[in-house]
Amino acid sequence: IQMTQSPSLLSASVGDRVTLSCKAGQNINNYLAWYQQKLGEAPKLLIYNANSLQTGIPSRFSGSGSGTDYTLTISSLQPEDVATYFCQQYNSWLTFGSGTKLEIK
Amino acid sequence: EVKLVESGGGLVQPGRSLKLSCAASGFSFNDYWMGWVRQAPGKGLEWIGEINQDSSTINYTPSLKDKFTISRDNAQNTLYLQMSKLGSEDTAIYYCAIELTTEGLFDYWGQGVMVTVSS
């Protein structure tokens, strides 16, 4: 299943509400995860089952969506959120999106 | 605390083989699926495969099924990735990860190990 993320690069200001998009090639039944990867680090799980917040992740992160269209929202962007964000489906085998690089304006 | 430490990477010539290890601690290793993911320099994440608790089920991404072999030793709390016929396209950071919550979901990752395929 192909996963398409947009935009590939996003520049926003501290405090902004930020929305990242992930579109699946077919219905993935909410088996959708979001990972954050900071430069030089391993990915970290943020959201699973489309909208469940992983333990220890700040509540400014949230996930939504259904069917083929999913969204990761950061309610108030912080400097430490600079990273690349990947979505991943686990409904049928496993595939990752190509990522959205988030930077501070 | 969950800890995953990969080892065995380095520089390898094209066509050769290499075996990576992932030492696990901080959780009951033989209770969970484990997986491998790689990331070519400056690129995205690519799922390699996963193995269930007793090694009876091993899934691979189709394009790597004939080159890579995943195994585990529950007595040693160690996950392995045997790679053969390596080419430049296999140059990447290789991560092991635990599927703690559910199969297919990577809750925790190791720090990764670099594999460079070059003559």
Side-chain angles (χ1 to χ4, degrees), chain B residues 4-40:
Chain B
L4 300 169
V5 180
E6 301 93 338
S7 61
L11 178 63
V12 59
Q13 293 180 327
R16 303 297 292 265
S17 298
L18 193 67
K19 188 171 186 177
L20 304 181
S21 300
C22 170
S25 60
F27 63 99
S28 182
F29 181 74
N30 57 7
D31 283 345
Y32 298 101
W33 286 73
M34 297 291 296
W36 288 96
V37 176
R38 71 179 181 181
Q39 186 171 35

Side-chain angles (χ1 to χ4, degrees), chain A residues 33 35 37 42-43 48 88 93-94, chain B residues 39 47 59 95 104 106 109-110:
Chain A
Y35 298 88
Q37 186 178 33
Y48 62 97
Q88 177 223 336
W93 300 105
L94 307 176
Chain B
Q39 186 171 35
W47 175 62
N59 300 317
Y95 296 101
F106 300 112
W109 300 58

Side-chain angles (χ1 to χ4, degrees), chain A residues 16-30:
Chain A
D16 282 355
R17 182 180 182 87
V18 171
T19 300
L20 286 64
S21 175
C22 178
K23 187 174 181 67
Q26 64 189 66
N27 182 6
I28 56 171
N29 298 301
N30 285 12

